[in-house]
């Protein structure tokens, strides 16, 4: 039988998606249609399945290990694929060890606290993988684009966010941040698809068109957020996301590599189990 050779995404390629401190990324120069070494989804299928098996095993061990927590931050423009990424990347993992938090327009109670209050409460406990569907980054994105607070306020938040994430990291949380990078054309296609498909219409909000009109402002806000808050302990990755399967592949590869590098192990069993007889 002819085995398809593994063409896994090289460390260098994945590394090229990381925003390095001191080397600002310009989003206009990152190709959202990139698919790495794969021409088509069909060619990546075997790789996706292998990664899924690895991820499922690693998550089980990470949970049992009970030494660290993992926080995944997902940010994207509307239709950028946050929901799809969560669904497809985490498929098959044990839901008991995964917690998704979706951050919406803050409630009155949330607004009466500092902006990190609701975020800190939602950070994953040890052994858990926490996924933020939107996050504290909204407080330097939508908040900045719509001037919901004055510039003196939002401009201080980059440093505050860096320090907050440093605190989490110093206390055992591993942090990965993904910006799902789609083109403006791709957003148009996805919005149209939502209008055309009766099962997707519920996802269409007229307000999305207002945000779309502010695309350039959002790109500027994203570039600043990524460049000012990508650190060694809490790196941002710009994930080419026009092709959903490639987006999933990149995220899964980074996730698998990160979990592997932690080297989780199953806890030692109690002593003397060899003599135990179940009657
Ligand atoms: P999603 O688009 O993530 O699937 P929604 O359609 O409910 O979910 O949108 C959530 C909305 O909440 C987005 O428009 C987002 O910009 C907004 N939002 C999230 N966090 C904040 C925040 N801190 N301040 C203002 N708006 C926020």
């Amino acid at each position: 039988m002819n085995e398809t050779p593994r063409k896994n995404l090289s460390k260098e390629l994945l590394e090229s998606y990381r925003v390095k401190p001191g080397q600002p990324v310009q989003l206009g120069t990152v190709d959202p249609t990139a698919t790495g070494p794969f021409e088509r989804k069909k060619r990546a299928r075997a790789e996706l399945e292998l990664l899924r098996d690895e991820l499922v095993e690693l998550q089980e061990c990470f949970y049992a290990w009970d030494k660290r927590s993992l926080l995944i931050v997902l940010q994207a423009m509307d239709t950028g694929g946050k929901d799809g990424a969560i669904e497809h990347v985490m498929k098959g993992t044990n839901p008991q060890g995964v917690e998704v938090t979706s951050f919406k327009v803050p409630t009155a109670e949330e607004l009466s606290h500092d902006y990190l209050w609701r975020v800190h409460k939602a950070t994953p406990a040890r052994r858990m993988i926490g996924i933020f569907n939107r996050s504290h980054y909204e407080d330097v994105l939508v908040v900045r684009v719509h001037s919901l607070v004055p510039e003196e306020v939002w401009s201080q938040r980059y440093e505050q966010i860096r320090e907050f994430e440093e605190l989490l990291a110093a206390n055992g949380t591993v942090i990965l941040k993904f910006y799902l990078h789609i083109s403006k054309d791709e957003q148009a296609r996805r919005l149209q698809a939502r209008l055309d498909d009766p099962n997707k219409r519920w996802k269409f909000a007229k307000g999305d068109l207002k945000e779309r009109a502010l695309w350039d402002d959002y790109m500027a806000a994203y570039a600043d957020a990524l460049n000012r808050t990508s650190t060694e302990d809490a790196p941002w990755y710009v994930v080419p996301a026009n092709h959903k399967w490639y987006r999933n592949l990149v995220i899964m590869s980074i996730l698998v590599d990160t979990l592997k590098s932690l080297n989780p192990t199953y806890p030692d069993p109690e002593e003397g189990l060899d003599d135990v007889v179940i009657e």
Side-chain angles (χ1 to χ4, degrees):
M1 198 178 77
N2 259 348
E3 276 209 23
T4 328
R6 262 193 97 170
K7 273 203 205 167
N8 47 358
L9 303 187
S10 67
K11 291 247 188 288
E12 294 73 37
L13 182 62
L14 296 174
E15 192 52 19
S16 74
Y17 299 139
R18 183 167 71 91
V19 181
K20 284 128 202 127
Q23 293 178 38
V25 67
Q26 286 185 334
L27 288 176
T29 65
V30 183
D31 179 9
T33 68
T35 55
F38 301 100
E39 293 122 57
R40 278 174 288 136
K41 179 179 180 181
K42 224 170 139 194
R43 305 240 172 253
R45 202 163 281 154
E47 186 60 29
L48 268 169
E49 290 315 312
L50 286 168
L51 277 168
R52 180 163 331 281
D53 291 348
E54 277 188 290
L55 182 58
V56 167
E57 262 186 61
L58 280 162
Q59 185 235 347
E60 192 182 328
C61 187
F62 180 80
Y63 184 84
W65 188 44
D66 195 15
K67 296 274 190 252
R68 308 286 294 271
S69 52
L70 175 63
L71 172 62
I72 299 170
V73 172
L74 291 176
Q75 284 288 158
M77 294 295 284
D78 289 321
T79 76
K82 294 180 282 100
D83 294 345
I86 296 169
E87 180 185 343
H88 294 287
V89 167
M90 300 312 289
K91 199 180 284 171
T93 54
N94 186 345
Q96 188 145 299
V98 181
E99 193 172 35
V100 181
T101 309
S102 299
F103 289 94
K104 308 286 184 185
V105 175
T107 61
E109 190 191 18
E110 287 167 350
L111 279 175
S112 70
H113 290 83
D114 73 86
Y115 68 100
L116 291 173
W117 180 72
R118 66 173 181 165
V119 178
H120 204 162
K121 278 203 298 187
T123 53
R126 211 171 52 219
R127 76 162 35 170
M128 297 295 291
I129 297 183
I131 304 178
F132 283 1
N133 183 346
R134 299 187 190 271
S135 64
H136 42 304
Y137 285 94
E138 291 294 321
D139 293 281
V140 288
L141 292 165
V142 63
V143 167
R144 162 172 159 169
V145 169
H146 288 279
S147 304
L148 299 181
V149 299
E151 181 167 353
E152 307 90 87
V153 176
W154 61 252
S155 63
Q156 291 181 41
R157 291 182 173 171
Y158 302 100
E159 192 183 344
Q160 293 164 354
I161 289 174
R162 278 199 306 271
E163 286 176 357
F164 168 62
E165 291 176 352
E166 196 182 312
L167 169 113
L168 297 180
N171 286 280
T173 301
V174 179
I175 306 173
L176 294 171
K177 303 181 291 194
F178 299 106
Y179 165 61
L180 312 182
H181 184 43
I182 57 163
S183 61
K184 199 175 175 190
D185 287 352
E186 180 62 17
Q187 189 191 51
R189 280 190 286 278
R190 292 185 187 184
L191 286 170
Q192 190 61 51
R194 286 184 179 181
L195 273 181
D196 294 345
D197 181 345
N199 291 339
K200 285 191 182 161
R201 271 203 169 189
W202 66 275
K203 282 193 174 191
F204 191 93
K206 285 190 197 144
D208 292 350
L209 299 180
K210 287 202 192 104
E211 301 308 301
R212 175 172 168 77
L214 298 167
W215 185 275
D216 292 345
D217 294 346
Y218 270 106
M219 287 303 109
Y222 264 111
D224 264 352
L226 302 179
N227 290 325
R228 292 196 200 175
T229 64
S230 196
T231 60
E232 295 300 333
D233 280 337
W236 272 110
Y237 290 87
V238 178
V239 180
N242 269 27
H243 295 284
K244 296 171 183 172
W245 58 269
Y246 189 65
R247 168 201 76 200
N248 297 339
L249 199 66
V250 170
I251 298 174
M252 284 170 85
S253 302
I254 294 170
L255 206 50
V256 163
D257 284 356
T258 303
L259 284 169
K260 263 191 201 157
S261 72
L262 297 173
N263 207 10
T265 48
Y266 287 101
D268 288 336
E270 269 181 53
E271 301 218 342
L273 291 188
D274 288 347
D275 305 329
V276 172
V277 180
I278 316 278
E279 301 201 339

